[in-house]
Amino acid sequence: MYSLLKVIHIGSLILWLGPALGSWLVLRYFQQHQGEMSSGTSLVYKVFFLTLTLEHLALCTLFVSGAWMAFGYGWIDMPWLQNKLWLVLLLIVPLEIVDIWLGNWKVQQLIKQRALGVELTSRQQGLIQFYHKGFTHLALLTLPVTVLVIMWLAVSKQPLW
């Protein structure tokens, strides 16, 4: 059972990180080369929002499989795992909450409204820009380093503090 849980856990990690990043890079390419309002960019937005859903489902599976291993195998009191959990709770969870709220709800609704011809306010346009630039760039700086530290903790079983 442990091997299956570990495969699910690592597979979920890959599905959490990979597809959404790839679709965001494609979206950025279309935005830069075809423009924000092009039909190609509109199509890529649809795929992007689908991959965000996949990303967040994978994150939930990652959390569930991790919790199952932590409690099921009695690791919850181990210092290396507690370090991992602090990093997850302090860095990953807040970023993902914002990502879910913006990407899966707010920005997605705004993009749909815009595609229907609704004129967005400057505040709404600014929110879209914040999501694609400020927030995403923060996540692109924070998540890889955090995930590498978490992976080091999982492999080495040595606590940071």
Side-chain angles (χ1 to χ4, degrees):
M1 184 62 144
Y2 172 77
S3 295
L4 177 61
L5 280 173
K6 195 67 168 179
V7 166
I8 291 169
H9 195 65
I10 293 170
S12 298
L13 175 70
I14 293 166
L15 286 174
W16 170 55
L17 293 174
L21 175 61
S23 67
W24 179 79
L25 291 171
V26 172
L27 177 62
R28 293 296 294 153
Y29 177 86
F30 270 77
Q31 288 171 323
Q32 292 169 355
H33 290 87
Q34 291 192 7
E36 180 70 15
M37 303 302 290
S38 75
S39 60
T41 301
S42 180
L43 180 61
V44 173
Y45 260 118
K46 290 177 185 174
V47 174
F48 173 72
F49 291 126
L50 284 173
T51 59
L52 280 184
T53 301
L54 174 64
E55 170 195 350
H56 295 121
L57 290 172
L59 182 65
C60 291
T61 305
L62 186 65
F63 288 162
V64 168
S65 61
W68 192 342
M69 287 188 292
F71 289 104
Y73 294 97
W75 297 343
I76 196 65
D77 292 328
M78 295 188 151
W80 65 270
L81 182 60
Q82 290 178 357
N83 288 176
K84 235 177 110 166
L85 292 174
W86 278 113
L87 291 171
V88 167
L89 292 173
L90 294 175
L91 297 172
I92 292 175
V93 169
L95 282 172
E96 290 300 324
I97 288 170
V98 172
D99 190 37
I100 290 167
W101 179 73
L102 286 175
N104 288 99
W105 281 291
K106 194 63 181 166
V107 169
Q108 186 175 16
Q109 290 172 352
L110 293 174
I111 297 299
K112 284 180 182 177
Q113 288 176 359
R114 189 175 68 188
L116 294 171
V118 174
E119 180 90 20
L120 299 181
T121 67
S122 60
R123 184 172 182 266
Q124 291 170 323
Q125 301 241 19
L127 188 60
I128 293 170
Q129 289 302 310
F130 168 73
Y131 178 68
H132 284 305
K133 293 189 177 171
F135 174 76
T136 301
H137 291 156
L138 173 67
L140 287 173
L141 291 171
T142 306
L143 289 176
V145 173
T146 305
V147 169
L148 285 173
V149 172
I150 287 171
M151 289 172 71
W152 182 84
L153 287 163
V155 171
S156 73
K157 308 284 192 263
Q158 298 296 314
L160 296 174
W161 56 86

